[in-house]
Amino acid sequence: MNNSTCINETQWSSSSFRFLVSTVVYGLVLSVGLPLNAVSLWILLRQHGLRSPCAVLMINLAAADLLLALSLPLRVYFYATLKWPFGASTCTVAILLFRINIRMSCIFITIISVDRLLALVFPLRSRSLRTSAFACKCCSLVWILITILCIPEGITFHRALKSCHYMPCFEMQITNVPMTIKIGQATFLLTLLMVNIVCTVVVIVVLRRRPGGDATNVNNKMSVVLIFVVNTLFFIVFFLPFTLQILAFGKKNYDEVLRAFVCLASVNCCLDPLIYYFSLDSFWQVKGKNQTKAVCYSLSRSQERL
């Protein structure tokens, strides 16, 4: 990954429409995602805290989405002006902040699906595993590993950016990426997608085998299914196109398509609060300390009643 391609003034003008679209999309994601995730994180911390593994996972997902949104003002400025006066180091940090938190979102969405599956299918056996302490350890491990794995990528980008006469920043192309790396990245994301699909299918099968009961029981089932369906749809819509395009990266005209899919993937941070809403009952309500303690694990209790 030592070779890179710098962009000249001719290429700026030839991609002007894509730059305009990128400015608009990243601007909308910033204006919606930043306040929405900031409010979601505040509510999760204040109202739910770290009292359940579900809340711990969603706090980490909200934090990842918030950090991703915080990296977008620089992207909006760059695509709006096609200038980068902040230097190679600032650009490298902005790139890594975006990439790390896109990957974090994929992982945390998948872990949330696995956690919900265990709560539904193995409510008693998984109690010793599904604890707040274990969830905190898992989340810390994910943050540390993904950050460490991205450090070599950041070093490569920094060296490549410093070698360019024009500072291309987010348009920097790293050429001659080994096929093993591209296959590894695509395989990792496809594995996460398959985990979400399997969790969704298993949950639907399990719920169909259980008696319907009254209307409350049916509503509980719908709430449970919704969280899995939302997670899977997020992966298919926002991450699957990006994943498949990784394999074609470096080929003619494919790089611009990949950047378009990366832009699409960023929209995910605006919709992740749907996961919090469907997973934690009374997410947006504050009705006293007793209910605050109760709602943290309300979905798990509903699943155990099914």
mmCIF file of all heavy atoms in Angstrom, residues 40-74:
data_model
loop_
_atom_site.group_PDB
_atom_site.id
_atom_site.type_symbol
_atom_site.label_atom_id
_atom_site.label_comp_id
_atom_site.label_asym_id
_atom_site.label_seq_id
_atom_site.Cartn_x
_atom_site.Cartn_y
_atom_site.Cartn_z
ATOM 1 N N SER A 40 -29.315 11.388 21.665
ATOM 2 C CA SER A 40 -29.487 9.966 21.971
ATOM 3 C C SER A 40 -28.473 9.505 23.008
ATOM 4 O O SER A 40 -28.816 8.779 23.956
ATOM 5 C CB SER A 40 -29.334 9.133 20.696
ATOM 6 O OG SER A 40 -30.328 9.446 19.754
ATOM 7 N N LEU A 41 -27.221 9.918 22.843
ATOM 8 C CA LEU A 41 -26.186 9.527 23.798
ATOM 9 C C LEU A 41 -26.474 10.105 25.176
ATOM 10 O O LEU A 41 -26.309 9.419 26.198
ATOM 11 C CB LEU A 41 -24.816 9.995 23.305
ATOM 12 C CG LEU A 41 -23.608 9.605 24.154
ATOM 13 C CD1 LEU A 41 -23.499 8.088 24.279
ATOM 14 C CD2 LEU A 41 -22.324 10.181 23.559
ATOM 15 N N TRP A 42 -26.935 11.346 25.223
ATOM 16 C CA TRP A 42 -27.267 11.982 26.505
ATOM 17 C C TRP A 42 -28.410 11.238 27.195
ATOM 18 O O TRP A 42 -28.354 10.988 28.403
ATOM 19 C CB TRP A 42 -27.643 13.440 26.260
ATOM 20 C CG TRP A 42 -28.017 14.184 27.507
ATOM 21 C CD1 TRP A 42 -27.172 14.663 28.469
ATOM 22 C CD2 TRP A 42 -29.341 14.527 27.932
ATOM 23 N NE1 TRP A 42 -27.880 15.293 29.468
ATOM 24 C CE2 TRP A 42 -29.218 15.229 29.170
ATOM 25 C CE3 TRP A 42 -30.608 14.337 27.397
ATOM 26 C CZ2 TRP A 42 -30.321 15.716 29.861
ATOM 27 C CZ3 TRP A 42 -31.712 14.818 28.085
ATOM 28 C CH2 TRP A 42 -31.561 15.509 29.303
ATOM 29 N N ILE A 43 -29.449 10.872 26.436
ATOM 30 C CA ILE A 43 -30.578 10.143 27.017
ATOM 31 C C ILE A 43 -30.148 8.763 27.490
ATOM 32 O O ILE A 43 -30.528 8.321 28.577
ATOM 33 C CB ILE A 43 -31.726 10.027 25.987
ATOM 34 C CG1 ILE A 43 -32.340 11.403 25.728
ATOM 35 C CG2 ILE A 43 -32.799 9.055 26.470
ATOM 36 C CD1 ILE A 43 -33.396 11.409 24.650
ATOM 37 N N LEU A 44 -29.345 8.078 26.689
ATOM 38 C CA LEU A 44 -28.886 6.742 27.079
ATOM 39 C C LEU A 44 -28.066 6.785 28.358
ATOM 40 O O LEU A 44 -28.235 5.942 29.245
ATOM 41 C CB LEU A 44 -28.051 6.137 25.945
ATOM 42 C CG LEU A 44 -28.826 5.630 24.721
ATOM 43 C CD1 LEU A 44 -27.880 5.364 23.570
ATOM 44 C CD2 LEU A 44 -29.606 4.367 25.067
ATOM 45 N N LEU A 45 -27.194 7.773 28.482
ATOM 46 C CA LEU A 45 -26.349 7.868 29.668
ATOM 47 C C LEU A 45 -27.155 8.285 30.891
ATOM 48 O O LEU A 45 -26.969 7.749 31.986
ATOM 49 C CB LEU A 45 -25.211 8.863 29.423
ATOM 50 C CG LEU A 45 -24.110 8.404 28.471
ATOM 51 C CD1 LEU A 45 -23.172 9.558 28.146
ATOM 52 C CD2 LEU A 45 -23.324 7.236 29.066
ATOM 53 N N ARG A 46 -28.050 9.256 30.710
ATOM 54 C CA ARG A 46 -28.792 9.776 31.850
ATOM 55 C C ARG A 46 -29.916 8.844 32.289
ATOM 56 O O ARG A 46 -30.128 8.624 33.494
ATOM 57 C CB ARG A 46 -29.368 11.149 31.496
ATOM 58 C CG ARG A 46 -30.145 11.771 32.655
ATOM 59 C CD ARG A 46 -30.769 13.083 32.256
ATOM 60 N NE ARG A 46 -31.565 13.627 33.347
ATOM 61 C CZ ARG A 46 -32.308 14.721 33.265
ATOM 62 N NH1 ARG A 46 -32.342 15.397 32.128
ATOM 63 N NH2 ARG A 46 -33.000 15.163 34.292
ATOM 64 N N GLN A 47 -30.642 8.282 31.321
ATOM 65 C CA GLN A 47 -31.849 7.545 31.644
ATOM 66 C C GLN A 47 -31.612 6.046 31.813
ATOM 67 O O GLN A 47 -32.290 5.391 32.605
ATOM 68 C CB GLN A 47 -32.893 7.783 30.551
ATOM 69 C CG GLN A 47 -34.302 7.328 30.929
ATOM 70 C CD GLN A 47 -35.321 7.831 29.926
ATOM 71 O OE1 GLN A 47 -35.094 8.821 29.245
ATOM 72 N NE2 GLN A 47 -36.439 7.132 29.817
ATOM 73 N N HIS A 48 -30.637 5.515 31.083
ATOM 74 C CA HIS A 48 -30.399 4.073 31.111
ATOM 75 C C HIS A 48 -29.049 3.709 31.707
ATOM 76 O O HIS A 48 -28.908 2.656 32.318
ATOM 77 C CB HIS A 48 -30.513 3.494 29.700
ATOM 78 C CG HIS A 48 -31.847 3.729 29.070
ATOM 79 N ND1 HIS A 48 -32.963 2.995 29.386
ATOM 80 C CD2 HIS A 48 -32.244 4.651 28.155
ATOM 81 C CE1 HIS A 48 -33.991 3.438 28.686
ATOM 82 N NE2 HIS A 48 -33.584 4.440 27.944
ATOM 83 N N GLY A 49 -28.041 4.541 31.501
ATOM 84 C CA GLY A 49 -26.741 4.296 32.087
ATOM 85 C C GLY A 49 -26.116 2.994 31.612
ATOM 86 O O GLY A 49 -26.357 2.534 30.494
ATOM 87 N N LEU A 50 -25.309 2.383 32.492
ATOM 88 C CA LEU A 50 -24.618 1.139 32.173
ATOM 89 C C LEU A 50 -25.218 -0.029 32.941
ATOM 90 O O LEU A 50 -24.513 -0.973 33.310
ATOM 91 C CB LEU A 50 -23.123 1.272 32.496
ATOM 92 C CG LEU A 50 -22.380 2.429 31.825
ATOM 93 C CD1 LEU A 50 -20.942 2.481 32.298
ATOM 94 C CD2 LEU A 50 -22.432 2.287 30.297
ATOM 95 N N ARG A 51 -26.539 0.023 33.155
ATOM 96 C CA ARG A 51 -27.165 -0.978 34.009
ATOM 97 C C ARG A 51 -27.562 -2.250 33.279
ATOM 98 O O ARG A 51 -27.981 -3.212 33.900
ATOM 99 C CB ARG A 51 -28.393 -0.370 34.706
ATOM 100 C CG ARG A 51 -28.029 0.641 35.786
ATOM 101 C CD ARG A 51 -29.286 1.164 36.459
ATOM 102 N NE ARG A 51 -30.013 2.073 35.590
ATOM 103 C CZ ARG A 51 -29.830 3.399 35.590
ATOM 104 N NH1 ARG A 51 -28.949 3.947 36.403
ATOM 105 N NH2 ARG A 51 -30.528 4.172 34.787
ATOM 106 N N SER A 52 -27.471 -2.282 31.980
ATOM 107 C CA SER A 52 -27.791 -3.494 31.226
ATOM 108 C C SER A 52 -26.841 -3.603 30.040
ATOM 109 O O SER A 52 -26.342 -2.582 29.539
ATOM 110 C CB SER A 52 -29.239 -3.463 30.733
ATOM 111 O OG SER A 52 -29.372 -2.534 29.667
ATOM 112 N N PRO A 53 -26.575 -4.836 29.572
ATOM 113 C CA PRO A 53 -25.685 -4.990 28.407
ATOM 114 C C PRO A 53 -26.250 -4.320 27.167
ATOM 115 O O PRO A 53 -25.496 -3.784 26.347
ATOM 116 C CB PRO A 53 -25.587 -6.513 28.247
ATOM 117 C CG PRO A 53 -26.776 -7.069 28.957
ATOM 118 C CD PRO A 53 -27.032 -6.131 30.091
ATOM 119 N N CYS A 54 -27.576 -4.337 27.025
ATOM 120 C CA CYS A 54 -28.210 -3.680 25.877
ATOM 121 C C CYS A 54 -27.894 -2.186 25.864
ATOM 122 O O CYS A 54 -27.531 -1.622 24.833
ATOM 123 C CB CYS A 54 -29.719 -3.920 25.929
ATOM 124 S SG CYS A 54 -30.639 -3.175 24.568
ATOM 125 N N ALA A 55 -28.026 -1.543 27.018
ATOM 126 C CA ALA A 55 -27.754 -0.109 27.110
ATOM 127 C C ALA A 55 -26.277 0.189 26.862
ATOM 128 O O ALA A 55 -25.931 1.175 26.198
ATOM 129 C CB ALA A 55 -28.167 0.413 28.487
ATOM 130 N N VAL A 56 -25.384 -0.668 27.368
ATOM 131 C CA VAL A 56 -23.940 -0.475 27.162
ATOM 132 C C VAL A 56 -23.608 -0.505 25.677
ATOM 133 O O VAL A 56 -22.873 0.347 25.167
ATOM 134 C CB VAL A 56 -23.142 -1.550 27.916
ATOM 135 C CG1 VAL A 56 -21.669 -1.507 27.515
ATOM 136 C CG2 VAL A 56 -23.267 -1.362 29.421
ATOM 137 N N LEU A 57 -24.152 -1.486 24.958
ATOM 138 C CA LEU A 57 -23.891 -1.610 23.531
ATOM 139 C C LEU A 57 -24.417 -0.413 22.757
ATOM 140 O O LEU A 57 -23.759 0.097 21.839
ATOM 141 C CB LEU A 57 -24.521 -2.900 22.998
ATOM 142 C CG LEU A 57 -23.930 -4.209 23.534
ATOM 143 C CD1 LEU A 57 -24.763 -5.399 23.078
ATOM 144 C CD2 LEU A 57 -22.489 -4.370 23.091
ATOM 145 N N MET A 58 -25.596 0.068 23.135
ATOM 146 C CA MET A 58 -26.179 1.193 22.410
ATOM 147 C C MET A 58 -25.477 2.506 22.727
ATOM 148 O O MET A 58 -25.404 3.386 21.873
ATOM 149 C CB MET A 58 -27.673 1.271 22.715
ATOM 150 C CG MET A 58 -28.417 0.104 22.118
ATOM 151 S SD MET A 58 -30.164 0.135 22.438
ATOM 152 C CE MET A 58 -30.609 -1.465 21.769
ATOM 153 N N ILE A 59 -24.949 2.633 23.928
ATOM 154 C CA ILE A 59 -24.144 3.814 24.253
ATOM 155 C C ILE A 59 -22.896 3.849 23.379
ATOM 156 O O ILE A 59 -22.509 4.905 22.852
ATOM 157 C CB ILE A 59 -23.777 3.815 25.754
ATOM 158 C CG1 ILE A 59 -25.001 4.187 26.596
ATOM 159 C CG2 ILE A 59 -22.630 4.777 26.042
ATOM 160 C CD1 ILE A 59 -24.798 4.010 28.084
ATOM 161 N N ASN A 60 -22.269 2.706 23.199
ATOM 162 C CA ASN A 60 -21.078 2.646 22.348
ATOM 163 C C ASN A 60 -21.417 2.899 20.881
ATOM 164 O O ASN A 60 -20.649 3.563 20.172
ATOM 165 C CB ASN A 60 -20.401 1.286 22.511
ATOM 166 C CG ASN A 60 -19.544 1.197 23.750
ATOM 167 O OD1 ASN A 60 -18.358 1.521 23.741
ATOM 168 N ND2 ASN A 60 -20.149 0.774 24.850
ATOM 169 N N LEU A 61 -22.554 2.388 20.422
ATOM 170 C CA LEU A 61 -22.981 2.663 19.049
ATOM 171 C C LEU A 61 -23.263 4.145 18.863
ATOM 172 O O LEU A 61 -22.861 4.745 17.850
ATOM 173 C CB LEU A 61 -24.223 1.835 18.719
ATOM 174 C CG LEU A 61 -24.842 2.072 17.329
ATOM 175 C CD1 LEU A 61 -23.839 1.764 16.233
ATOM 176 C CD2 LEU A 61 -26.107 1.218 17.157
ATOM 177 N N ALA A 62 -23.936 4.767 19.819
ATOM 178 C CA ALA A 62 -24.215 6.203 19.735
ATOM 179 C C ALA A 62 -22.926 7.015 19.761
ATOM 180 O O ALA A 62 -22.797 8.019 19.040
ATOM 181 C CB ALA A 62 -25.130 6.620 20.882
ATOM 182 N N ALA A 63 -21.956 6.586 20.581
ATOM 183 C CA ALA A 63 -20.666 7.287 20.639
ATOM 184 C C ALA A 63 -19.928 7.186 19.304
ATOM 185 O O ALA A 63 -19.342 8.172 18.825
ATOM 186 C CB ALA A 63 -19.809 6.715 21.764
ATOM 187 N N ALA A 64 -19.954 5.999 18.690
ATOM 188 C CA ALA A 64 -19.307 5.822 17.388
ATOM 189 C C ALA A 64 -19.968 6.700 16.331
ATOM 190 O O ALA A 64 -19.280 7.346 15.523
ATOM 191 C CB ALA A 64 -19.365 4.350 16.975
ATOM 192 N N ASP A 65 -21.291 6.734 16.316
ATOM 193 C CA ASP A 65 -22.003 7.572 15.342
ATOM 194 C C ASP A 65 -21.751 9.056 15.579
ATOM 195 O O ASP A 65 -21.639 9.849 14.629
ATOM 196 C CB ASP A 65 -23.503 7.293 15.413
ATOM 197 C CG ASP A 65 -23.866 5.934 14.844
ATOM 198 O OD1 ASP A 65 -23.090 5.415 14.027
ATOM 199 O OD2 ASP A 65 -24.915 5.390 15.215
ATOM 200 N N LEU A 66 -21.641 9.448 16.849
ATOM 201 C CA LEU A 66 -21.386 10.856 17.165
ATOM 202 C C LEU A 66 -19.989 11.260 16.710
ATOM 203 O O LEU A 66 -19.798 12.346 16.137
ATOM 204 C CB LEU A 66 -21.544 11.090 18.667
ATOM 205 C CG LEU A 66 -21.344 12.531 19.150
ATOM 206 C CD1 LEU A 66 -22.355 13.465 18.486
ATOM 207 C CD2 LEU A 66 -21.473 12.605 20.668
ATOM 208 N N LEU A 67 -19.005 10.400 16.937
ATOM 209 C CA LEU A 67 -17.641 10.697 16.489
ATOM 210 C C LEU A 67 -17.557 10.747 14.968
ATOM 211 O O LEU A 67 -16.819 11.566 14.404
ATOM 212 C CB LEU A 67 -16.675 9.641 17.034
ATOM 213 C CG LEU A 67 -16.409 9.700 18.537
ATOM 214 C CD1 LEU A 67 -15.570 8.513 18.981
ATOM 215 C CD2 LEU A 67 -15.698 11.004 18.903
ATOM 216 N N LEU A 68 -18.312 9.871 14.296
ATOM 217 C CA LEU A 68 -18.356 9.920 12.837
ATOM 218 C C LEU A 68 -18.923 11.256 12.368
ATOM 219 O O LEU A 68 -18.389 11.889 11.449
ATOM 220 C CB LEU A 68 -19.191 8.763 12.304
ATOM 221 C CG LEU A 68 -19.205 8.562 10.783
ATOM 222 C CD1 LEU A 68 -19.374 7.077 10.465
ATOM 223 C CD2 LEU A 68 -20.331 9.349 10.107
ATOM 224 N N ALA A 69 -20.013 11.690 13.006
ATOM 225 C CA ALA A 69 -20.626 12.969 12.634
ATOM 226 C C ALA A 69 -19.669 14.135 12.886
ATOM 227 O O ALA A 69 -19.641 15.108 12.114
ATOM 228 C CB ALA A 69 -21.922 13.172 13.406
ATOM 229 N N LEU A 70 -18.858 14.041 13.941
ATOM 230 C CA LEU A 70 -17.911 15.108 14.256
ATOM 231 C C LEU A 70 -16.796 15.224 13.216
ATOM 232 O O LEU A 70 -16.137 16.266 13.132
ATOM 233 C CB LEU A 70 -17.302 14.872 15.639
ATOM 234 C CG LEU A 70 -18.255 15.102 16.830
ATOM 235 C CD1 LEU A 70 -17.593 14.674 18.129
ATOM 236 C CD2 LEU A 70 -18.659 16.574 16.908
ATOM 237 N N SER A 71 -16.577 14.160 12.442
ATOM 238 C CA SER A 71 -15.545 14.221 11.399
ATOM 239 C C SER A 71 -16.071 14.823 10.100
ATOM 240 O O SER A 71 -15.286 15.106 9.186
ATOM 241 C CB SER A 71 -15.010 12.811 11.117
ATOM 242 O OG SER A 71 -15.976 12.021 10.433
ATOM 243 N N LEU A 72 -17.372 15.024 9.996
ATOM 244 C CA LEU A 72 -17.972 15.461 8.738
ATOM 245 C C LEU A 72 -17.802 16.942 8.409
ATOM 246 O O LEU A 72 -17.796 17.294 7.225
ATOM 247 C CB LEU A 72 -19.457 15.098 8.716
ATOM 248 C CG LEU A 72 -19.764 13.600 8.719
ATOM 249 C CD1 LEU A 72 -21.264 13.371 8.643
ATOM 250 C CD2 LEU A 72 -19.059 12.883 7.580
ATOM 251 N N PRO A 73 -17.700 17.875 9.383
ATOM 252 C CA PRO A 73 -17.525 19.280 8.988
ATOM 253 C C PRO A 73 -16.326 19.493 8.072
ATOM 254 O O PRO A 73 -16.399 20.294 7.125
ATOM 255 C CB PRO A 73 -17.328 19.989 10.338
ATOM 256 C CG PRO A 73 -18.077 19.147 11.304
ATOM 257 C CD PRO A 73 -17.881 17.736 10.842
ATOM 258 N N LEU A 74 -15.231 18.788 8.316
ATOM 259 C CA LEU A 74 -14.053 18.926 7.465
ATOM 260 C C LEU A 74 -14.319 18.373 6.066
ATOM 261 O O LEU A 74 -13.829 18.916 5.073
ATOM 262 C CB LEU A 74 -12.858 18.215 8.102
ATOM 263 C CG LEU A 74 -12.341 18.844 9.398
ATOM 264 C CD1 LEU A 74 -11.242 17.984 10.010
ATOM 265 C CD2 LEU A 74 -11.822 20.257 9.142
#
